[in-house]
Amino acid sequence: MSTRFPFTAVVGQQDLQLALLLNAVAPNIGGVLVRGEKGTAKSTAVRALAALLPEVEVVAGCRFSCDPASPDPTCPDGPHTGAAAEARDARMVELPVGASEDRLVGALDIERALAEGVKAFEPGLLAAANRGILYVDEVNLLHDHLVDVLLDAAAMGASYVEREGVSVRHAARFLLVGTMNPEEGELRPQLLDRFGLTVEVAASREPDQRVEVVRRRLAYDDDPAAFAARWAHEESAVRQRIVGARELLPKVRLGDGALKQIAATCAAFEVDGMRADIVMARTATALAAWDGRSDVLAEDVRQAALLALPHRRRRNPFDAPGLDEDKLDRTLEESAGDDDDPDPDGPGGGGQPSPEEGPQGGDAGARPGTGEDGEPQPAAGGAGEQAPARAAEPFRTKALTVPGVGAGAAGRRSRARTERGRTTGALRPRGALTKLHLAATVRAAAPHQRARGRSGPGLVLRRDDLRQAAREGREGNLVLFVVDASGSMAARQRMSAVKGAVLSLLLDAYQRRDKVGLVTFRGTAAEVALPPTSSVDAAAARLESLPTGGRTPLAAGLLRAHDVLRVERLRDPSRRALLVVVTDGRATGGPEPVALAGRAARLLGAESVASVVVDCESGPVRLGLAGRLAEELGGTAVTLEELRADAIAGLVRDVRGTTSRRAA
């Protein structure tokens, strides 16, 4: 077995180390989510933690690591009365991003269950991680239904497996640690809330600290065993401290004063539900035990808030995680004293930005730029450029879907063949059988029972009789935005509304688990402002800083979108695309700009790219250019007003019209 990098040798990640150690002391805190850029020792620290955990006593031969002092009465390998015990190291089990649900929770042998009537259960990773660590690298890329199963097991301390009327339950108590790079996409707020603590990590900008990181890493690579030996004393001290804190934990007193501070803090920061209060209480108690104290102090509550609240304050994926520490200190001081007056800043105060009033006129909420706000800035190529307009308030959009039935990554936008969802039919299994279609299996086997010599009540089955359930659910798509940033779109109030509409569609893409990309065009060319990614907040940031001005090279924008889609089809053939073109339909610049735009649109239409044109034309006289562009794309046009889910005008737009027109 390879020598792991010592936990105590990690440089400059004190918050990460503290959060992991607190969960080692009190696993009921609920685990740790580690967010940060690549190359910040996230995985190194997590893997090193396993070596610090004390040995565990288990029932000899039990695949579920039952505690001999109090064995699980429902353990599938039980009963364990009088069973021998053995000691072993605490395990760290890694859950791969591409794992199936059966790999996570375990699987039943369907053939034996049907033919022999026995519950032949093969444990999964949850069973292997019981009383140890379950580590999920890139947890934000894990399929939603797996994250749901994972967090449910972590919350209940047990895993339930239901397969065609056969039920298995086993203990699943583990320290859950997830790591993620926010640039690759966010977790849903509901899932963020299920992690007890969260830590933001980043590489140090201090040269001396960076030098020490490199020095230690090179020393470890040269001789891992010798490097680990140098840190053996520190590792042993931390291990003993964990044991001592665990013993002290039941004796720590959480007084009414500390509870009042916890409740006041959660109320002041407007976190949803009561989970934050409970996690803060457990974390503050663990902090006191870690410091060898039997009473929780205000400093414990403060540190608990910094670890337990930042990820619970996000209202949408574009909110930056974090906590206003000045407001936190004021809240703790007020709740600790006799002064019961409310926070003068209110529950949303303390330096938090107030909701924007939105654009009420030509310059409401605008940044310095052109017109009444300032002077225009010159752009490359001599085209006029205006400073970015702020986006209007986002709204709930109508559903836009891709026609047909796909087979892409699980999501919530378009119809797809999935492992989960409603059963629509049966088919012969390819590879291992995972979802049995019982009725179809019985129908396939029934005609052959006499020929197979059936004499008893049991059904004589063959492998060829088994049928897999075909299920239909929803998939996530690649939503590629092509945004017109030319001078014809540059009126501040208009561009603000356009950005608000795109921001609304980005929020919709986040909720439906899509990948997103952003192509913009203005002046003389188009550019990929954001290559396809799962990080919709990155797309929102690019949109916010998008300048406008110059001519309208519509053809260039469509051709660049064509190139992006071609590359993405090679990278991920199963993920279908939805092209969203945001424009007023005008095309200027170069020879025959309108004809060129038409040819580019027909090129995309010929490749059956599902598309929607968001018509941004305004004013009493409308030319209908965006509608004609939609026809050439073979897609649908929708106005900014019709895009709203609560709009009275218009029906819910679906790109299915694309296929019906082509069929005609």
Side-chain angles (χ1 to χ4, degrees), residues 353-360 364-366 390-393:
S354 60
E356 298 293 340
E357 295 181 1
Q360 302 297 326
R390 299 185 68 176
E393 191 70 21

Side-chain angles (χ1 to χ4, degrees), residues 77-373:
D77 284 357
H80 294 309
T81 305
E86 63 181 10
R88 62 162 174 78
D89 293 336
R91 292 174 179 163
M92 192 195 76
V93 177
E94 294 194 40
L95 174 62
V97 170
S100 66
E101 184 176 351
D102 287 339
R103 182 74 182 98
L104 177 62
V105 302
L108 293 172
D109 188 330
I110 299 296
E111 295 182 57
R112 289 191 62 192
L114 286 175
E116 303 174 29
V118 298
K119 298 180 182 179
F121 179 68
E122 184 65 28
L125 295 176
L126 291 179
N130 187 32
R131 304 178 67 201
I133 300 174
L134 183 59
Y135 172 46
V136 188
D137 194 12
E138 307 294 355
V139 64
N140 52 322
L141 303 183
L142 201 65
H143 284 176
D144 280 355
H145 72 279
L146 291 183
V147 179
D148 288 331
V149 170
L150 186 65
L151 295 177
D152 284 343
M156 296 185 296
S159 175
Y160 295 85
V161 185
E162 302 285 346
R163 292 291 187 275
E164 302 298 337
V166 182
S167 300
V168 174
R169 176 205 174 276
H170 66 81
R173 296 180 178 87
F174 48 82
L175 166 54
L176 176 63
V177 183
T179 59
M180 59 175 283
N181 183 348
E183 294 177 357
E184 297 173 340
E186 286 287 354
L187 279 171
R188 289 184 286 133
Q190 299 93 324
L191 301 182
L192 278 173
D193 182 57
R194 297 295 290 274
F195 281 94
L197 308 180
T198 187
V199 179
E200 294 279 339
V201 296
S204 173
R205 298 298 183 258
E206 293 293 330
D208 291 343
Q209 198 169 79
R210 296 176 74 96
V211 166
E212 186 61 24
V213 170
V214 175
R215 181 182 291 119
R216 293 186 187 184
R217 184 69 211 191
L218 294 178
Y220 171 78
D221 291 340
D222 288 342
D223 191 341
F227 184 81
R230 285 169 47 195
W231 292 89
H233 178 71
E234 288 82 354
E235 295 282 286
S236 177
V238 172
R239 189 179 299 108
Q240 292 173 9
R241 191 174 175 184
I242 291 174
V243 173
R246 285 183 174 182
E247 294 174 352
L248 179 60
L249 186 65
K251 305 172 186 176
V252 175
R253 189 181 73 89
L254 182 66
D256 290 343
L259 279 173
K260 181 179 178 182
Q261 287 184 314
I262 290 170
T265 301
C266 292
F269 285 99
E270 300 183 75
V271 295
D272 295 330
M274 294 298 298
R275 184 175 284 117
D277 303 62
I278 296 170
V279 171
M280 274 189 65
R282 290 172 175 169
T283 304
T285 304
L287 279 162
W290 179 248
D291 285 340
R293 290 183 276 102
S294 58
D295 285 295
V296 174
L297 305 179
E299 62 194 61
D300 301 322
V301 176
R302 186 182 192 278
Q303 183 63 57
L306 293 175
L307 293 172
L309 296 188
H311 61 301
R312 293 186 165 89
R313 295 191 57 254
R314 305 188 78 193
R315 292 294 183 265
N316 64 62
F318 309 139
D319 292 339
L323 213 61
D324 184 335
E325 295 193 30
D326 291 337
K327 179 180 178 180
L328 173 60
D329 291 335
R330 289 198 305 272
T331 303
L332 292 174
E333 289 175 5
E334 292 169 2
S335 58
D338 296 328
D339 183 7
D340 292 328
D341 287 339
D343 185 343
D345 290 324
Q352 299 301 311
S354 60
E356 298 293 340
E357 295 181 1
Q360 302 297 326
D363 20 290
R367 296 179 180 176
T370 58
E372 296 181 5
D373 294 313

Side-chain angles (χ1 to χ4, degrees), residues 406-486:
R412 294 185 176 83
R413 183 170 297 278
S414 305
R415 295 173 56 201
R417 295 179 293 275
T418 61
E419 287 294 316
R420 297 170 65 87
R422 64 186 182 91
T423 301
T424 58
L427 45 82
R428 291 182 181 272
R430 297 178 180 177
L433 179 69
T434 56
K435 303 290 183 183
L436 178 74
H437 195 297
L438 184 58
T441 298
V442 172
R443 285 197 300 269
H448 309 291
Q449 295 305 294
R450 180 175 297 178
R452 294 173 183 173
R454 173 185 170 185
S455 57
L459 195 65
V460 182
L461 287 176
R462 297 288 185 268
R463 173 70 185 175
D464 290 344
D465 299 331
L466 299 178
R467 294 294 182 269
Q468 177 88 14
R471 300 193 174 190
E472 183 177 301
R474 293 280 167 177
E475 67 177 359
N477 299 119
L478 165 60
V479 182
L480 182 62
F481 294 93
V482 181
V483 179
D484 184 349
S486 65

